[in-house]
């Protein structure tokens, strides 16, 4: 594989070229090089929302959540209609239990990028966490209809159907997720749990 040159070490000053090189480093898996390049880009173009956003992504990858929040927030101050930054900030807040703020940001992200599989699925997770199961089911069914090859939507749909007692449908949904991503261990565990719930329900039925 051809090595990606680190633009920081070459002293490149062209902003467009530096941005392209920074993304190339990121896609190549060189997180340290990408962080250095995006930091340089940020210094050269402090009003570049993409640079702030990518610095937030890189901070999040190494567990620096507060720093990521600050970077995503700054990106949104510059570009309020930035769907990736809205989605990523919402995801952090969701993980911190700030459901109302997360829901608001996910909805804003969908306003600027309608039909996004990731964001629709994430919003479904917020609704499930708030026990708004009927809303979550409707949203996740819409997501699977729009994105029939997107495993996480079927996984989340399985979860909400299980909570609603629709165990056969829950098992079918997670099996679809497994078909799409057969090596995903989370789906395997979820499928076993769904099968166990169905078995327990059958065992509890009265026979006449």
């Amino acid at each position: 594989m051809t090595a990606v040159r680190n633009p920081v070490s070459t002293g490149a000053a062209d902003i467009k070229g530096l941005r392209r090189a920074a993304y190339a480093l990121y896609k190549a898996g060189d997180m340290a090089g990408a962080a250095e390049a995006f930091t340089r880009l940020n210094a050269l173009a402090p009003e570049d929302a993409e640079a702030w956003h990518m610095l937030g992504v890189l901070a999040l990858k190494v567990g620096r959540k507060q720093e990521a929040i600050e970077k995503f927030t700054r990106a949104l101050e510059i570009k309020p209609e930035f769907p990736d930054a809205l989605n990523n900030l919402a995801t952090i807040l969701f993980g911190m239990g700030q459901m109302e703020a997360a829901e608001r940001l996910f909805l804003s992200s969908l306003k600027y990028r309608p039909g996004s599989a990731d964001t629709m699925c994430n919003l479904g997770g917020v609704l499930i966490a708030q026990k708004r199961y009927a809303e979550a089911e409707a949203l996740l069914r819409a997501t699977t209809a729009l994105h029939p090859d997107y495993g996480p939507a079927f996984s989340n749909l399985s979860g909400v159907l299980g909570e609603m007692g629709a165990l056969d449908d829950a098992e079918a949904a997670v099996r679809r997720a497994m078909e799409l991503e057969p090596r995903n261990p989370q789906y395997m565990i979820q499928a076993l749990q769904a099968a166990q719930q169905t078995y327990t329900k059958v065992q509890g039925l009265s026979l006449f």
Side-chain angles (χ1 to χ4, degrees):
M1 185 175 71
T2 303
V4 180
R5 296 180 66 193
N6 188 324
V8 177
S9 63
T10 63
D14 176 72
I15 291 175
K16 290 183 179 179
L18 181 56
R19 182 185 292 109
R20 287 194 297 269
Y23 276 111
L25 288 164
Y26 179 76
K27 291 177 181 178
D30 183 355
M31 297 299 118
E36 189 178 357
F38 279 114
T39 298
R40 178 166 172 75
L41 176 60
N42 181 246
L44 291 172
E47 296 302 306
D48 188 312
E50 288 185 27
W52 284 106
H53 172 256
M54 286 306 300
L55 287 171
V57 170
L58 290 161
L60 191 58
K61 281 185 175 294
V62 294
R64 300 200 300 266
K65 289 185 180 180
Q66 188 56 46
E67 180 181 341
I69 289 172
E70 293 169 3
K71 304 298 188 188
F72 293 145
T73 299
R74 180 61 184 134
L76 290 168
E77 289 172 351
I78 298 168
K79 186 179 179 181
E81 70 282 9
F82 196 159
D84 288 337
L86 287 163
N87 179 77
N88 288 339
L89 179 56
T91 300
I92 297 176
L93 296 180
F94 176 31
M96 296 171 66
Q98 298 183 33
M99 299 301 170
E100 291 183 7
E103 181 178 353
R104 183 173 64 254
L105 290 168
F106 282 136
L107 288 169
S108 293
S109 182
L110 286 170
K111 175 183 176 182
Y112 298 115
R113 185 180 290 161
S116 166
D118 287 340
T119 306
M120 291 177 75
C121 192
N122 289 341
L123 179 57
V126 171
L127 296 174
I128 293 171
Q130 296 179 87
K131 302 188 185 300
R132 293 158 60 184
Y133 298 137
E135 293 175 73
E137 180 191 4
L139 175 63
L140 291 166
R141 286 195 183 280
T143 308
T144 57
L146 280 172
H147 306 281
D149 297 326
Y150 186 66
F154 285 95
S155 175
N156 276 9
L157 179 59
S158 175
V160 73
L161 291 171
E163 293 290 348
M164 297 172 75
L167 301 183
D168 291 340
D169 288 346
E171 190 170 352
V174 75
R175 288 194 180 283
R176 175 57 180 158
M178 288 181 63
E179 289 173 4
L180 295 168
E181 299 180 42
R183 295 186 179 181
N184 189 315
Q186 176 186 338
Y187 298 164
M188 296 178 189
I189 294 170
Q190 192 176 3
L192 289 171
Q193 291 172 337
Q196 180 61 43
Q197 285 180 313
T198 302
Y199 175 78
T200 301
K201 180 180 178 181
V202 171
Q203 291 296 101
L205 293 177
S206 299
L207 301 178
F208 295 95

